[in-house]
Amino acid sequence: MRTEISTLGEFGLIAHLTKGIKLENESSKYGIGDDAAVLSYPSEKQILVTTDLLMEGVHFDLTYVPLKHLGYKSAVVNFSDIYAMNGTPRQITISLALSKRFCVEDIEEFYAGVRLACQQYHVDIVGGDTSSSLTGLAISITCIGEADKNKVVYRNGAKETDLICVSGDLGAAYMGLQLLEREKTVLKGEKDIQPDFSGKEYLLERQLKPEARKDIIEKLAAANIIPSSMMDISDGLSSELLHICKQSNAGCRIYEEHIPIDYQTAVMAEEFNMNLTTCAMNGGEDYELVFTVSIADYDKVSQIEGIRLIGHITKPELGCALVTRDGQEFELRAQGWNALRKK
Ligand SMILES: Nc1ncnc2c1ncn2[C@@H]1O[C@H](COP(=O)(O)OP(=O)(O)O)[C@@H](O)[C@H]1O
Ligand SMILES: Cc1ncc(C[n+]2csc(CCOP(=O)(O)OP(=O)(O)O)c2C)c(N)n1
Ligand SMILES: [Mg+2]
């Protein structure tokens, strides 16, 4: 089926896409349908706001990304930013610019993904904007969330001797992207052949359907740990650690042998003849959390499943470095994702 968007028009499309959206959160007072949404948060909360812009051809390639997955991921990467402040996401607004290539069914798919993510993370869709584009799909999502006033975690709070921790494992989403890019080149013009991705499912899942680490935020809270600094890993661990250290006026040492990497990631890096540590440090799109905790929290944090201690914070004069298995030190450089960097 292909229903042209012009048959519904802007208002018809919005009504169609947002049909049946219900508000779950106490703070969502009024959602879609007026000039602005109305939110109300209790005075003991801080309100968190984050926004992300995703451009077709820059952030995603629709030749191998299904629209439902794209919708899911676009929402989840925003939730991830709210968790990275030690908060809880509550509302999003979604703005879309659509070219003529897209039909109503395409946007339905995209919305099905966004709505699934919102259901799973208990977030309300409270508004958005819809416009046309001459060149492709542009997606902008803004997420609003809350945190207890004294529990917001910034990038600038890391202190000398703090332990550096990471959740999950790194580099898999990047290897998933490499895999999809390779198949895209191989299969160009041969639509009937289905690539065999068996044994590589984890990599594809990490690229196409990432999750935000709500569970880690909950486990830290349950263990009574408030990190001294935290970020989510979108551009690569190196880049994020440099942000934390710069803003905290600190240095760091992280140890190559402690960087968490999944088996499939390692196999794939070998197959592509890529340096595994480089992929894990700079690949990006991991949407894991990197955070620091006081050394006093060592016992508590090391008991939490899914968190790895990878190093520690130092004085700023010592700079930021990766210590290899044979004890050599390499200065961290932000080689990861940078949308504005020269190619
Ligand atoms: N065009 C912009 N105008 C104003 N602030 C911006 C702009 N782009 C990014 N920022 C702000 O810069 C900071 C860092 O952004 P960014 O590197 O994109 O972080 P993240 O990786 O968490 O999305 C954030 O506070 C963000 O709101
Ligand atoms: C076609 C394509 N190119 C590149 C990537 C890789 N990629 C897309 S977004 C991103 C990192 C995060 O993007 P950014 O706009 O920096 O988000 P932010 O850090 O602001 O949250 C990466 C590595 C991809 N998934 N698909
Ligand atoms: Mg950003």
Side-chain angles (χ1 to χ4, degrees):
M1 260 270 280
R2 183 183 164 93
T3 312
E4 293 301 327
I5 290 175
S6 54
T7 61
L8 292 179
E10 181 187 338
F11 304 117
L13 179 69
I14 294 169
H16 180 70
L17 294 173
T18 58
K19 203 163 47 199
I21 287 181
K22 291 202 178 58
L23 303 179
E24 268 193 61
N25 289 304
E26 177 65 29
S27 50
S28 307
K29 295 299 178 200
Y30 194 90
I32 292 163
D34 215 307
D35 297 311
V38 180
L39 310 179
S40 177
Y41 281 89
S43 59
E44 70 275 13
K45 298 287 185 184
Q46 297 280 34
I47 301 174
L48 308 171
V49 181
T50 179
T51 193
D52 258 311
L53 176 64
L54 300 170
M55 299 295 292
E56 183 176 357
V58 176
H59 294 91
F60 57 87
D61 185 333
L62 289 175
T63 50
Y64 52 76
V65 177
L67 278 159
K68 187 170 177 182
H69 286 76
L70 181 63
Y72 191 90
K73 180 169 172 177
S74 307
V76 162
V77 302
N78 276 275
F79 305 162
S80 177
D81 277 320
I82 299 286
Y83 292 121
M85 299 297 290
N86 202 27
T88 307
R90 297 293 187 196
Q91 290 89 17
I92 57 167
T93 64
I94 311 168
S95 299
L96 298 176
L98 308 166
S99 74
K100 287 206 186 67
R101 221 170 83 230
F102 298 95
C103 63
V104 173
E105 288 75 14
D106 292 334
I107 312 307
E108 277 172 1
E109 278 294 296
F110 176 83
Y111 259 76
V114 174
R115 286 172 77 155
L116 180 63
C118 286
Q119 237 172 38
Q120 282 182 7
Y121 289 84
H122 305 290
V123 172
D124 295 324
I125 301 174
V126 296
D129 195 26
T130 313
S131 187
S132 53
S133 142
L134 298 179
T135 50
L137 177 61
I139 305 160
S140 169
I141 297 191
T142 296
C143 185
I144 299 134
E146 64 180 53
D148 287 344
K149 278 219 157 122
N150 50 356
K151 292 187 182 156
V152 177
V153 177
Y154 297 87
R155 296 176 178 183
N156 65 11
K159 300 275 178 310
E160 192 186 343
T161 76
D162 280 358
L163 306 169
I164 303 173
C165 310
V166 209
S167 65
D169 59 77
L170 304 178
Y174 178 72
M175 290 324 305
L177 181 63
Q178 298 308 306
L179 192 60
L180 289 162
E181 285 283 344
R182 177 177 76 179
E183 297 309 318
K184 173 182 150 180
T185 326
V186 169
L187 297 178
K188 236 174 212 158
E190 296 182 50
K191 288 239 154 41
D192 297 338
I193 303 175
Q194 280 294 315
D196 181 12
F197 288 128
S198 55
K200 307 192 167 77
E201 294 83 357
Y202 180 65
L203 307 177
L204 295 181
E205 192 178 316
R206 294 283 286 173
Q207 170 58 225
L208 296 173
K209 193 172 177 286
E211 300 294 348
R213 297 313 301 263
K214 177 179 200 275
D215 57 332
I216 296 290
I217 294 306
E218 289 167 354
K219 283 179 188 171
L220 288 170
N224 256 317
I225 298 172
I226 300 179
S228 49
S229 70
M230 182 154 60
M231 272 187 83
D232 70 332
I233 307 178
S234 57
D235 301 337
L237 179 65
S238 293
S239 166
E240 317 306 14
L241 270 175
L242 287 169
H243 281 302
I244 285 181
C245 288
K246 186 168 183 212
Q247 294 200 25
S248 302
N249 187 30
C252 71
R253 287 295 173 277
I254 58 165
Y255 295 84
E256 186 181 23
E257 63 195 283
H258 296 312
I259 293 168
I261 297 173
D262 183 79
Y263 174 73
Q264 287 187 20
T265 309
V267 171
M268 215 48 231
E270 173 93 33
E271 202 177 313
F272 278 121
N273 225 336
M274 287 175 162
N275 181 290
L276 180 57
T277 305
T278 308
C279 294
M281 295 290 300
N282 302 295
E285 294 187 286
D286 301 298
Y287 299 104
E288 294 296 342
L289 295 168
V290 52
F291 57 94
T292 55
V293 298
S294 152
I295 203 158
D297 287 330
Y298 174 81
D299 285 333
K300 288 195 277 181
V301 82
S302 43
Q303 275 166 32
I304 303 178
E305 216 188 288
I307 293 178
R308 266 290 184 85
L309 300 182
I310 61 163
H312 58 269
I313 297 292
T314 65
K315 290 191 198 326
E317 303 84 79
L318 294 177
C320 297
L322 172 77
V323 184
T324 61
R325 288 185 176 82
D326 53 14
Q328 287 187 72
E329 290 196 356
F330 286 95
E331 196 184 327
L332 292 188
R333 286 189 304 138
Q335 294 174 312
W337 170 260
N338 183 337
L340 302 183
R341 189 178 49 193
K342 275 198 206 135
K343 284 266 154 57

